[in-house]
Amino acid sequence: MSERKASGDPGRATIRDVAERAGVSVASVSRVLSGNYPVSDELRRRVMKVVRDLDYVTNAHARSLAGGGTPTVAILINNITGAAFTHVAKGVEGAASLRGWLSLVGTTGDDPERELALVNLMRQQGVAAVILLGGAYDYDEYQMRMARFARSLDSAGSHLVLVGRPPLEGDVPATTVDYDNEGGAYAMASHLLSAGHRRVLVLPGHSELTTAQGRLRGAQRAFEAYGVPFDPDMVLHGPYDYEHGYDAVEESLRRKLDFTAVLAGTDVVAAGAMQALRAAGLRVPEDVSIVGYDDIPLASQLTPQLTTVHVPYEEMGRVALRAVADRRERGAGRRKGGDGDHLVLGTHVVVRNSVQPPPLP
Amino acid sequence: MSERKASGDPGRATIRDVAERAGVSVASVSRVLSGNYPVSDELRRRVMKVVRDLDYVTNAHARSLAGGGTPTVAILINNITGAAFTHVAKGVEGAASLRGWLSLVGTTGDDPERELALVNLMRQQGVAAVILLGGAYDYDEYQMRMARFARSLDSAGSHLVLVGRPPLEGDVPATTVDYDNEGGAYAMASHLLSAGHRRVLVLPGHSELTTAQGRLRGAQRAFEAYGVPFDPDMVLHGPYDYEHGYDAVEESLRRKLDFTAVLAGTDVVAAGAMQALRAAGLRVPEDVSIVGYDDIPLASQLTPQLTTVHVPYEEMGRVALRAVADRRERGAGRRKGGDGDHLVLGTHVVVRNSVQPPPLP
DNA sequence: GCCGGTGCTGAAACCGTATCCCATCGTTTC
DNA sequence: GAAACGATGGGATACGGTTTCAGCACCGGC
């Protein structure tokens, strides 16, 4: 019948196939499908029947090349099995699909090379925005690297969004969605101090990670506010994982450090710490109190349930996507820094059962 | 200079801009960038310089429209914050990016409507494969629905991969990557039985979920093999979450059910069960033993560490992607069912500290 | 010195869709 | 009854690349 292709047609059906079979023009099919142009009922019926018969779907690449197309956002995350930031991804994804947007997910595995490659890949895809999730390492290079990303994406009509990282300095075209990291740590430490604890083991995280730095600062400020001396020897840095929590507490006990509470940088770290205390025969919270940070589901599943800082991760994801959508609607207009490009969400302490006043000596 | 665009060029640079500025043809730029055709060093240098100056990246849509383009796989998952199947996603993503492939992630939220919409969306994107993650509900409709997906994707040059679901019946163009679900449950139950337990509370999961059905069958077979009567009253169905584990055990204790062990359908369910036992003043494993399923990180972070069934989730993801890549390389040739389109990976029991012989009466 | 390669480059033809612009046809208005 | 008009349909072009095909320059061999 058709001279373009043999009957055993292997590839997918095109809009031309539909037009031909329905006996109408290609333009009409396009109009029926996108529905942004008046079409007679008769034509619509004819076209839709063929569309169903052929199980036709439009080619998204061709569509977006021709100007249409569904907007897409890229989510770049360190580790998709990680606890906290997958909730941000969920928030972004949910908000995106609510608007009919698509989301691409890439994992960087903490590798700057891979991060660069992914940003470029996403730029090729013409994404509406690249959303970078998770705390960053505060190397000197970080600012420059991100600034380069931001400008590069911006000049390609895209946009960089940083979630859970510190904002970029200077006049860089990027949006930051942040939470009150330091404030949460301040409140959490205050909670311990007001319960009477004075000797606190602090496990803020990796010393070069921006979130760890903020959490440590918050804790220090709380100590100052309470007039309690802050002992640097009680601070143990390390990764945000279970093993670090376990090892740090084990080590501290071995070194006979004197503490009545543990301020963990993360709920997972707190879980490890709790396990180590228990292995040493200490009770939580009767002998030692523990607090975490993040308020992931695990926090309420531990025994005892963990007092921790709630971070609105999913909300942050939604906010990030809204920021992208907003800026796209009003034409990415004037920026000039400081505008609405740094959004900070609040945190708060969730009191559960892992804190008690310290035991009498 | 150029008559095509004004100097304030807002959009991204095109290959034509590069060609013009380098004083060469569009074809040459394309050849330099894709590198699949001989080009003189001089030309390459000239082009690459302009590419760097303009920070140019090729338009992925145009590229894939013209035939080239990087292959993309779609990962469809119920809940990106879920525990087990995110590891599959990680496996897929890792294997994909190792080959330079891209991965799209969509979440279905257990909604068949959304699943349908996403499959169509992915079909529009021209993905190499759609990988569906997680157990399925065994409604009558399931087989037909999946078969339709499979054929639809197949005819569009794509492919359906089911991970952690039962394979489709009949001659359907789909690949299934599965694990020995029933075998794992059999081994796990045997472990409890051989420790001397006879009264076991079984929390297999939602009764219509295929994975739950398999786990229940495996347990039953083990009881039969040991000649131990299987009491249906000791089976409590429910979702795979912490709350269900907690509530089921609480309820069982209230009803004064007599049991010395809990066989949970999931590590998370086991965690909930453990918490409930402890809340009732029972010790694990001295008074009651508990086992889980999945071997997610949580399992080794509980106190006591959980004896469970290891499922090679991440490996399954890698295997799924390899299957897609293989079939694409050898041209998706002959199928005719049964070929290599059902891959089963093994499971094994991981013995930790949550099982002891039952206490003497 | 001429002819046939060889090695690279350029022009043009697509890929599949959206949309601008024009043609057509049935109505309404004077 | 003619002209103007609104409502639709069709043809052509653009989107940004890849790839085929042809062409040009330069080379060696006879």
Side-chain angles (χ1 to χ4, degrees):
Chain A
M1 308 296 160
S2 161
E3 77 289 6
R4 285 177 38 77
K5 286 180 183 174
S7 52
D9 190 5
R12 57 202 272 193
T14 75
I15 197 173
R16 251 186 297 269
D17 300 332
V18 176
E20 194 173 327
R21 187 147 162 180
V24 300
S25 78
V26 177
S28 297
V29 177
S30 172
R31 288 198 267 252
V32 167
L33 291 176
S34 52
N36 50 12
Y37 195 84
V39 181
S40 73
D41 287 351
E42 159 64 8
L43 186 97
R44 185 191 318 285
R45 263 193 318 100
R46 273 231 303 263
V47 169
M48 288 312 288
K49 167 148 179 29
V50 176
V51 165
R52 273 192 303 273
D53 287 354
L54 260 49
D55 198 17
Y56 166 81
V57 289
T58 68
N59 181 324
H61 297 301
R63 172 184 262 252
S64 70
L65 185 57
T70 61
T72 305
V73 290
I75 304 174
L76 263 43
I77 187 173
N78 264 337
N79 180 357
I80 198 176
T81 63
F85 281 96
T86 57
H87 286 91
V88 180
K90 183 181 188 178
V92 173
E93 219 272 347
S97 65
L98 219 60
R99 297 172 196 252
W101 290 25
L102 203 58
S103 33
L104 280 160
V105 174
T107 64
T108 61
D110 247 339
D111 177 5
E113 289 303 320
R114 202 158 149 52
E115 189 179 65
L116 172 59
L118 278 171
V119 168
N120 272 328
L121 196 62
M122 297 314 179
R123 203 146 61 96
Q124 290 181 191
Q125 301 290 324
V127 296
V130 172
I131 303 182
L132 233 46
L133 263 41
Y137 292 95
D138 188 24
Y139 297 133
D140 292 350
E141 204 196 323
Y142 170 75
Q143 288 281 339
M144 287 185 53
R145 182 184 185 77
M146 288 303 135
R148 202 162 44 232
F149 282 173
R151 285 190 236 284
S152 181
L153 287 167
D154 185 72
S155 74
S158 184
H159 190 64
L160 179 67
V161 180
L162 268 27
V163 177
R165 306 192 176 201
L168 264 24
E169 296 164 5
D171 188 18
V172 180
T175 300
T176 303
V177 177
D178 218 350
Y179 55 96
D180 186 10
N181 189 26
E182 191 173 328
Y186 180 91
M188 192 73 266
S190 299
H191 181 73
L192 280 181
L193 290 162
S194 68
H197 293 276
R198 291 297 175 267
R199 304 281 308 163
V200 179
L201 185 65
V202 182
L203 312 176
H206 202 100
S207 64
E208 271 164 331
L209 201 58
T210 55
T211 52
Q213 295 169 348
R215 291 174 192 189
L216 181 56
R217 268 199 309 278
Q220 278 177 305
R221 272 189 28 226
F223 274 73
E224 284 170 22
Y226 273 73
V228 176
F230 189 81
D231 183 355
D233 289 347
M234 300 280 280
V235 178
L236 271 65
H237 291 282
Y240 277 152
D241 60 25
Y242 182 87
E243 286 70 26
H244 168 58
Y246 193 99
D247 295 348
V249 165
E250 195 179 39
E251 167 78 9
S252 301
L253 291 173
R254 189 151 13 91
R255 281 164 45 195
K256 305 237 183 291
L257 277 182
D258 173 33
F259 60 93
T260 63
V262 179
L263 181 69
T266 278
D267 291 341
V268 175
V269 172
M274 196 181 284
Q275 183 84 311
L277 287 169
R278 198 164 285 142
L282 292 166
R283 294 163 306 163
V284 177
E286 291 82 358
D287 299 321
V288 178
S289 294
I290 298 190
V291 297
Y293 208 115
D294 282 349
D295 194 23
I296 61 175
L298 170 69
S300 58
Q301 298 172 4
L302 290 170
T303 319
Q305 296 189 318
L306 195 64
T307 290
T308 187
V309 177
H310 178 76
V311 180
Y313 284 117
E314 198 169 327
E315 172 76 7
M316 287 167 69
R318 285 192 294 265
V319 166
L321 193 94
R322 179 141 34 90
V324 174
D326 283 355
R327 113 186 295 273
R328 152 174 286 242
E329 271 172 19
R330 43 156 221 276
R334 70 277 141 159
R335 58 189 61 88
K336 224 44 185 171
D339 218 310
D341 51 4
H342 185 193
L343 308 168
V344 180
L345 275 64
T347 54
H348 62 265
V349 170
V350 179
V351 177
R352 296 208 180 88
N353 314 318
S354 65
V355 174
Q356 268 189 13
L360 300 179
Chain B
M1 307 297 158
S2 160
E3 76 288 6
R4 285 175 39 76
K5 288 180 182 174
S7 52
D9 187 8
R12 59 202 273 193
T14 75
I15 197 173
R16 251 185 291 271
D17 300 332
V18 176
E20 194 174 327
R21 188 148 162 181
V24 299
S25 79
V26 180
S28 296
V29 176
S30 173
R31 286 196 268 256
V32 167
L33 290 176
S34 52
N36 50 12
Y37 200 83
V39 181
S40 73
D41 286 352
E42 160 64 9
L43 186 97
R44 182 188 321 285
R45 262 193 318 101
R46 273 229 304 258
V47 168
M48 288 312 289
K49 167 147 178 27
V50 176
V51 165
R52 273 192 302 273
D53 286 356
L54 261 49
D55 199 15
Y56 166 82
V57 289
T58 68
N59 180 324
H61 297 301
R63 171 184 262 250
S64 69
L65 184 56
T70 61
T72 304
V73 291
I75 304 173
L76 263 43
I77 187 171
N78 263 339
N79 180 357
I80 199 178
T81 62
F85 282 96
T86 56
H87 286 92
V88 181
K90 184 181 187 177
V92 173
E93 219 272 348
S97 65
L98 220 59
R99 296 171 198 252
W101 290 24
L102 204 55
S103 31
L104 280 160
V105 174
T107 64
T108 61
D110 247 338
D111 177 5
E113 288 304 319
R114 202 158 151 51
E115 191 180 64
L116 172 60
L118 277 171
V119 168
N120 272 330
L121 197 62
M122 296 314 179
R123 201 146 61 96
Q124 292 182 16
Q125 300 292 321
V127 296
V130 172
I131 303 183
L132 233 47
L133 264 39
Y137 293 93
D138 189 21
Y139 298 132
D140 292 350
E141 202 195 323
Y142 170 74
Q143 288 280 339
M144 289 185 51
R145 183 184 184 76
M146 287 303 135
R148 203 162 43 232
F149 282 173
R151 285 190 237 283
S152 180
L153 288 168
D154 186 73
S155 75
S158 185
H159 189 64
L160 180 67
V161 180
L162 267 28
V163 177
R165 306 192 176 201
L168 264 24
E169 294 164 5
D171 187 18
V172 180
T175 300
T176 303
V177 177
D178 217 350
Y179 56 95
D180 186 10
N181 188 25
E182 191 173 329
Y186 180 91
M188 193 74 265
S190 299
H191 181 72
L192 280 180
L193 290 162
S194 69
H197 294 276
R198 290 299 175 265
R199 304 281 306 164
V200 178
L201 186 66
V202 182
L203 313 176
H206 202 100
S207 63
E208 272 164 329
L209 201 58
T210 56
T211 52
Q213 295 169 348
R215 291 174 192 190
L216 181 55
R217 269 199 308 279
Q220 278 176 303
R221 274 189 29 225
F223 274 73
E224 284 170 22
Y226 273 74
V228 177
F230 189 81
D231 183 356
D233 289 346
M234 301 280 279
V235 177
L236 272 65
H237 290 282
Y240 277 152
D241 60 25
Y242 181 87
E243 285 71 25
H244 168 59
Y246 193 98
D247 295 345
V249 164
E250 196 179 40
E251 166 79 8
S252 302
L253 290 173
R254 187 149 15 89
R255 281 164 45 195
K256 305 237 182 291
L257 278 182
D258 172 33
F259 60 94
T260 64
V262 179
L263 182 68
T266 276
D267 291 341
V268 175
V269 173
M274 196 182 283
Q275 183 84 313
L277 287 170
R278 197 164 285 143
L282 292 166
R283 292 164 307 162
V284 179
E286 291 82 357
D287 299 320
V288 179
S289 292
I290 298 189
V291 296
Y293 208 117
D294 283 350
D295 194 24
I296 60 175
L298 171 69
S300 57
Q301 298 173 4
L302 290 170
T303 317
Q305 296 189 316
L306 195 64
T307 290
T308 187
V309 177
H310 179 76
V311 180
Y313 284 116
E314 198 169 327
E315 173 75 7
M316 288 167 69
R318 284 191 295 264
V319 166
L321 193 94
R322 180 142 33 90
V324 173
D326 283 356
R327 114 186 293 274
R328 153 173 284 242
E329 270 172 19
R330 45 156 217 275
R334 70 276 144 159
R335 58 189 61 90
K336 224 47 185 171
D339 216 311
D341 51 5
H342 186 193
L343 308 168
V344 181
L345 274 63
T347 53
H348 63 265
V349 170
V350 178
V351 177
R352 296 209 180 89
N353 314 319
S354 65
V355 174
Q356 267 189 15
L360 300 179

